[in-house]
Amino acid sequence: MATEILMPALSPTMEEGTLAKWLVKEGDTVKSGDIMAEIETDKATMEFEAVDEGIIGKILIEEGTEGVKVNTAIAILVEEGEEVGDVEVSKPAEPAKPAKNEDPKDKGGADGMDHPAPAAPEADVTPDWPEGTKLKQQTVREALRDAMAEEMRRDENVFLMGEEVAEYQGAYKISQGLLDEFGAKRVIDTPITEHGFAGIGVGAAFGGLRPIVEFMTWNFGMQAIDQIINSAAKTLYMSGGQMGAPMVFRGPNGAAARVGAQHSQDYAAWYMQIPGLKVAMPYSASDYKGLMKSAIRDPNPVIFLENEILYGRSFDVPEDDDYTVPFGKARIWREGSDVTIVSFGIGMTYALEAAGKLAEEGIEAEVIDLRTLRPMDTASIIKSVKKTNRCVTVEEGWPQGSVGGYISSVLMQQAFDYLDAPVINCTGKDVPMPYAANLEKHALVTTAEVIEAVKTVTYK
Amino acid sequence: MAARKTTKKPNVSAEELKAYYHDMLLIRRFEEKAGQLYGMGLIGGFCHLYIGQEAVVVGLEATAKEGDSRITTYRDHGHMLACGMDPNGVMAELTGREDGYSKGKGGSMHMFSKDKRFYGGHGIVGANVPLGAGLAFADKYKGNDAVTFTYFGDGAANQGQVYETFNMAALWQLPCIFVIENNQYAMGTSQQRSTSSAEIWERGKAFGIPGEAVDGMDVLAVKAAGETAVAHCRSGKGPYILEIKTYRYRGHSMSDPAKYRTREEVQKMRDERDPIEAVRTLLLQGEHATEEDLKAIDKKIKDVVNESAEFAKTSPEPALDELWTDIYATEIPQEA
Ligand SMILES: Cc1ncc(C[n+]2csc(CCOP(=O)(O)OP(=O)(O)O)c2C)c(N)n1
Ligand SMILES: [Mg+2]
């Protein structure tokens, strides 16, 4: 059967080209791999090879013709004994039509995972646990360990790997006892090869397992950031939903104490930026537990940002092996009508301390713990700001491109008319973390700065 | 106790031996003092002591000449003292004070001296290895005959960037000596539990980089191997790998429960292989020095170390303005 030979696209950006020279003439026999023509693209002169076997029945575009559109028929290939007249020369293909029911403007912002409609979502204010639930005091460390152990009992595909997680019982003792209970098959010591084992974790997740990858600290997760973002976060999208990386990357994040610039970075704002990742940065032990369990069960890659200073703090935790906290639901720690203070993770310690001191001066702050940064419960922030008309954000990370900066933009776009003062972002200082004790204290955000910010926005 | 025999013992003068004894002992006493100050809360954060490994850096520094560079990990105090940095400035950095090498802003893991061509002090395992090759690249580019000593651990030897660096260093014939300080453990993980090859230096063969294993408890053996490596690099033949088998007596850092090895294992090393004791024995048995001579050295070192501690305690904390300095340069810093 006769076939058309079409003008090829010979570079990613080529739309048309010059048919510089024919190297075959009508009646010639060609087989695949034979060079038929020279074509000038926007970048270079390229040789154009035959793919099919046949006889050049007719040349449709003369050599020297410029501006030949990609996919225009340039010649006709016939079989032995076949007439050229058998083929009807086609027009260049039309560009693809836009898909129906697709108005790109219909998509929401980056705050939620599903964006069915632009309408502002309602804030979910149901309590985390029902009245009368039995509670126990637990440290964040114990809560994390229990969450992983419970999920490992529940699903044998869940395993933990990282540096010193097994025999050493965890550099920060988060995996204490897990090797004893689950054995070396499921609690795995790795060499110091973050990029390698993060990638192996992502592959294992592709392959159906539920890895928990521990970074000794998130500072070392930077070695692995390509696998986290290019492999874990984007594969679901790139595969059209066929496969993804249901897994958890976890470890302590942010400043500890006096460990200097390379060991003290807060990565909240970085990971919060990545579509395809979910990001948790809890404060209380019950949230560490409930969110870690949700993270392990989640079908997406989850970044779990813990905090070394919080590891030893105790909080009430429900006595329930199936206690989970959903992503994208903030918790209101304190109600108030004068100002909304929004924070997460270790930032909550400053937020709550400031709120306590402000109450003594008659200023009632509402304190919101975001708990997860992606999805982010902006609905709860907006709802609160509609009441208080003022907002201060608190985080330890750097100011430029901060979590607070994002919250400010959301408020400006969605609650502008309710704001009585510009939003203030209390952040870490715009410097690498110094080692000296006195400088370190100043580099971090302080409670005094939060109080001052609240007074500024309340004009007190 | 007797030093283990080494096959190729270089001719070494009494003066040289005494210098090694001095330099190794200075590191040991300095580290002991640092451990003490840490215990007192004067030093914070991470603090990785070099005790047990002194022969590595002292043996290699004996082969360096003016213009050579060195770069290492967070376990860096010994390297700084061995290349001639001032104990006062090092200790004051450990206490986070104004007179420290980084004005108190770097701490134990991040200290530098342009003057001594000591390029740090790096906290990220493996990351200093390409940096070392980059220093060597700069020397080759400038056409001088300097070499760079790039130190890293057995654990670091599993980072991918080490092998990316080996490839380029071999490809471009960089004058870089890769010094693997194999102290057998990476935190709590022994070499056998983390590393597929028993001899790490042999990995260099895949890249055409020559190398050898060296007894790191014998400063003379280290020096001899260092001379081979330096000669190779200086003559433009490209990189060289020294895998120096050593041992750290103390925990990985100050907060190491050390359950991964027995106390007996550590004690045996200290008793039978201590690098300082070995040189001491050589000095005395060869009648290169008397007990009195060595006592005088001990005393001198003690004074230097005590003075550094005093200096580090009394040096003021950095001014608060320092928080905001050194973030951007206003001009390109002059090369050392
Ligand atoms: C990229 C990275 N991962 C993990 C760590 C935490 N860490 C610091 S030292 C260390 C062990 C390194 O062992 P080795 O390379 O043998 O050097 P040694 O401490 O024995 O001198 C680890 C895991 C780190 N600093 N950087
Ligand atoms: Mg080691």
Side-chain angles (χ1 to χ4, degrees):
Chain A
M1 214 198 77
T3 43
E4 294 174 7
I5 296 171
L6 304 179
M7 180 72 168
L10 297 171
S11 84
T13 48
M14 175 178 168
E15 287 171 5
E16 55 176 46
T18 300
L19 209 169
K21 189 169 187 199
W22 278 109
L23 300 173
V24 292
K25 55 184 188 310
E26 289 177 6
D28 281 0
T29 301
V30 294
K31 55 183 188 339
S32 65
D34 286 354
I35 301 178
M36 295 191 296
E38 280 177 6
I39 289 171
E40 277 171 30
T41 72
D42 49 346
K43 300 218 164 57
T45 300
M46 312 275 290
E47 291 175 336
F48 177 39
E49 291 180 2
V51 179
D52 300 310
E53 257 179 36
I55 298 159
I56 303 290
K58 189 166 177 54
I59 285 177
L60 301 172
I61 305 281
E62 290 300 314
E63 67 178 29
T65 311
E66 291 176 14
V68 183
K69 294 255 181 292
V70 165
N71 282 337
T72 310
I74 55 173
I76 290 173
L77 197 65
V78 294
E79 289 170 17
E80 227 13 284
E82 194 182 15
E83 287 295 313
V84 178
D86 295 354
V87 244
E88 200 183 301
V89 177
S90 62
K91 296 244 168 62
E94 298 266 315
K97 286 196 199 71
K100 43 185 173 347
N101 72 33
E102 260 312 341
D103 179 354
K105 285 195 293 288
D106 261 6
K107 295 282 168 186
D111 41 299
M113 288 294 116
D114 319 298
H115 301 277
E122 285 286 299
D124 174 358
V125 292
T126 53
D128 282 342
W129 52 75
E131 200 83 38
T133 304
K134 269 190 86 181
L135 302 174
K136 62 182 168 193
Q137 279 275 304
Q138 255 195 330
T139 61
V140 164
R141 177 178 279 112
E142 291 160 347
L144 272 172
R145 197 255 337 269
D146 284 0
M148 289 195 285
E150 285 167 16
E151 293 306 300
M152 288 176 79
R153 283 175 212 132
R154 188 173 168 271
D155 179 353
E156 64 177 24
N157 285 329
V158 177
F159 69 96
L160 172 67
M161 74 172 164
E163 293 159 24
E164 309 288 0
V165 299
E167 297 197 5
Y168 199 84
Q169 310 288 320
Y172 296 98
K173 298 288 169 279
I174 303 303
S175 51
Q176 189 120 41
L178 295 185
L179 175 66
D180 283 349
E181 180 174 352
F182 299 103
K185 181 185 169 199
R186 298 181 66 194
V187 183
I188 303 162
D189 278 328
T190 62
I192 311 169
T193 46
E194 287 83 4
H195 200 206
F197 71 72
I200 286 178
V202 176
F206 288 173
L209 301 184
R210 292 302 190 104
I212 305 171
V213 171
E214 173 175 314
F215 293 119
M216 194 175 282
T217 78
W218 274 100
N219 301 286
F220 317 140
M222 267 205 285
Q223 295 281 323
I225 202 160
D226 179 69
Q227 292 292 3
I228 296 172
I229 293 173
N230 272 329
S231 304
K234 297 178 183 171
T235 296
L236 184 74
Y237 192 80
M238 295 187 300
S239 69
Q242 293 180 76
M243 61 161 93
M247 64 188 300
V248 179
F249 296 99
R250 51 156 289 268
N253 170 63
R258 310 282 313 275
V259 292
Q262 290 184 336
H263 283 66
S264 302
Q265 193 169 330
D266 173 10
Y267 292 89
W270 281 30
Y271 288 110
M272 178 188 82
Q273 219 246 337
I274 310 298
L277 294 179
K278 291 190 175 183
V279 182
M281 186 154 158
Y283 165 60
S284 75
S286 61
D287 289 342
Y288 269 96
K289 179 159 186 202
L291 283 166
M292 177 53 75
K293 288 167 71 76
S294 295
I296 294 169
R297 296 178 193 184
D298 200 281
N300 294 287
V302 175
I303 303 294
F304 210 89
L305 303 170
E306 304 164 8
N307 188 282
E308 192 190 328
I309 291 166
L310 293 177
Y311 279 155
R313 302 250 174 113
S314 294
F315 297 83
D316 282 340
V317 178
E319 285 195 37
D320 173 4
D321 276 4
D322 212 33
Y323 175 70
T324 58
V325 172
F327 274 63
K329 182 180 169 212
R331 171 169 173 190
I332 296 170
W333 279 76
R334 196 180 183 290
E335 290 190 36
S337 52
D338 296 329
V339 62
T340 301
I341 304 179
V342 185
S343 191
F344 49 92
I346 185 92
M348 286 297 295
T349 56
Y350 308 102
L352 289 171
E353 194 187 355
K357 291 194 172 154
L358 287 161
E360 289 166 17
E361 300 180 37
I363 301 173
E364 293 300 331
E366 182 142 297
V367 181
I368 297 181
D369 177 1
L370 290 175
R371 305 198 285 195
T372 67
L373 300 175
R374 192 179 183 95
M376 186 188 286
D377 186 1
T378 49
S380 286
I381 305 174
I382 292 166
K383 183 166 178 246
S384 175
V385 168
K386 284 184 175 171
K387 175 173 74 175
T388 64
N389 311 113
R390 293 155 163 102
C391 183
V392 168
T393 67
V394 186
E395 70 197 286
E396 280 193 346
W398 288 312
Q400 191 165 340
S402 63
V403 177
Y406 174 68
I407 293 170
S408 306
S409 81
V410 168
L411 288 175
M412 192 165 74
Q413 290 168 46
Q414 299 183 40
F416 188 72
D417 292 339
Y418 294 91
L419 286 171
D420 285 349
V423 177
I424 294 183
N425 303 141
C426 297
T427 65
K429 308 305 176 295
D430 202 10
V431 302
M433 186 64 70
Y435 166 72
N438 63 329
L439 296 186
E440 186 180 60
K441 231 180 279 146
H442 278 81
L444 293 166
V445 63
T446 64
T447 300
E449 286 161 1
V450 178
I451 291 172
E452 195 187 307
V454 166
K455 290 189 174 167
T456 305
V457 299
T458 54
Y459 306 109
K460 292 272 161 67
Chain B
M1 68 137 272
R4 213 177 67 173
K5 282 194 260 339
T6 50
T7 39
K8 38 180 175 177
K9 195 163 284 174
N11 273 334
V12 54
S13 70
E15 281 325 297
E16 254 183 86
L17 268 182
K18 268 192 243 172
Y20 301 153
Y21 179 76
H22 171 274
D23 292 354
M24 290 196 289
L25 196 65
L26 172 64
I27 295 174
R28 178 145 320 167
R29 297 283 174 263
F30 182 93
E31 292 292 66
E32 287 164 355
K33 182 59 80 182
Q36 221 175 23
L37 297 190
Y38 193 94
M40 293 161 65
L42 283 160
I43 296 174
F46 290 131
C47 182
H48 309 83
L49 302 183
Y50 198 61
I51 296 178
Q53 302 184 207
E54 298 90 344
V56 179
V57 77
V58 169
L60 289 179
E61 279 296 340
T63 69
K65 70 168 194 187
E66 187 74 33
D68 290 345
S69 301
R70 60 280 292 161
I71 187 167
T72 187
T73 69
Y74 44 84
R75 197 179 300 287
D76 55 357
H77 312 163
H79 303 71
M80 293 188 277
L81 298 176
C83 74
M85 287 167 66
D86 176 12
N88 287 0
V90 177
M91 199 65 100
E93 188 60 40
L94 293 181
T95 53
R97 303 302 172 88
E98 181 182 278
D99 297 302
Y101 266 100
S102 301
K103 305 180 207 162
K105 300 204 284 193
S108 166
M109 299 188 285
H110 313 297
M111 260 186 261
F112 309 82
S113 166
K114 207 118 195 237
D115 181 38
K116 299 291 178 196
R117 294 183 164 273
F118 176 75
Y119 286 92
H122 295 268
I124 302 302
V125 170
N128 63 308
V129 178
L131 302 179
L135 289 164
F137 181 96
D139 282 322
K140 179 161 180 162
Y141 191 95
K142 291 183 220 152
N144 62 38
D145 72 345
V147 304
T148 298
F149 294 87
T150 302
Y151 295 87
F152 55 103
D154 46 294
N158 287 318
Q159 285 285 37
Q161 56 185 318
V162 171
Y163 300 96
E164 298 177 20
T165 303
F166 278 8
N167 182 45
M168 288 180 275
L171 192 65
W172 299 334
Q173 299 275 285
L174 303 180
C176 185
I177 303 171
F178 295 106
V179 184
I180 304 167
E181 294 200 56
N182 184 350
N183 60 11
Q184 305 179 36
Y185 294 92
M187 284 186 75
T189 304
S190 65
Q191 189 195 333
Q192 299 86 283
R193 293 208 302 118
S194 67
T195 307
S196 61
S197 10
E199 297 293 321
I200 303 172
W201 68 272
E202 289 187 344
R203 291 178 173 180
K205 289 181 183 170
F207 301 88
I209 307 178
E212 61 189 281
V214 185
D215 178 358
M217 305 310 268
D218 177 349
V219 69
L220 300 181
V222 174
K223 187 195 173 210
E227 278 169 345
T228 311
V230 167
H232 179 92
C233 285
R234 254 199 241 297
S235 63
K237 293 189 192 138
Y240 199 93
I241 300 173
L242 296 174
E243 180 184 350
I244 307 197
K245 315 271 192 183
T246 179
Y247 199 78
R248 79 170 145 71
Y249 296 173
R250 295 293 188 91
H252 167 73
S253 66
M254 301 306 294
S255 50
D256 178 3
K259 295 222 183 79
Y260 47 84
R261 61 183 185 186
T262 61
R263 199 166 291 154
E264 290 73 45
E265 179 184 309
V266 182
Q267 198 54 47
K268 196 166 149 58
M269 271 291 182
R270 296 189 93 124
D271 290 346
E272 297 174 11
R273 300 301 331 279
D274 188 74
I276 300 176
E277 272 309 312
V279 171
R280 191 183 155 81
T281 308
L282 282 180
L283 280 166
L284 293 174
Q285 283 179 354
E287 293 179 3
H288 299 301
T290 64
E291 288 279 2
E292 276 61 52
D293 296 339
L294 298 185
K295 271 207 191 105
I297 296 178
D298 296 3
K299 165 88 175 66
K300 193 177 127 212
I301 287 172
K302 208 166 170 194
D303 291 346
V304 168
V305 168
N306 283 339
E307 192 208 308
S308 76
E310 228 9 73
F311 180 81
K313 284 184 215 165
T314 48
S315 168
E317 289 192 310
L320 285 184
D321 293 355
E322 277 298 336
L323 186 57
W324 301 101
T325 63
D326 305 321
I327 297 163
Y328 295 101
T330 47
E331 54 189 291
I332 296 177
Q334 290 302 300
E335 66 158 294

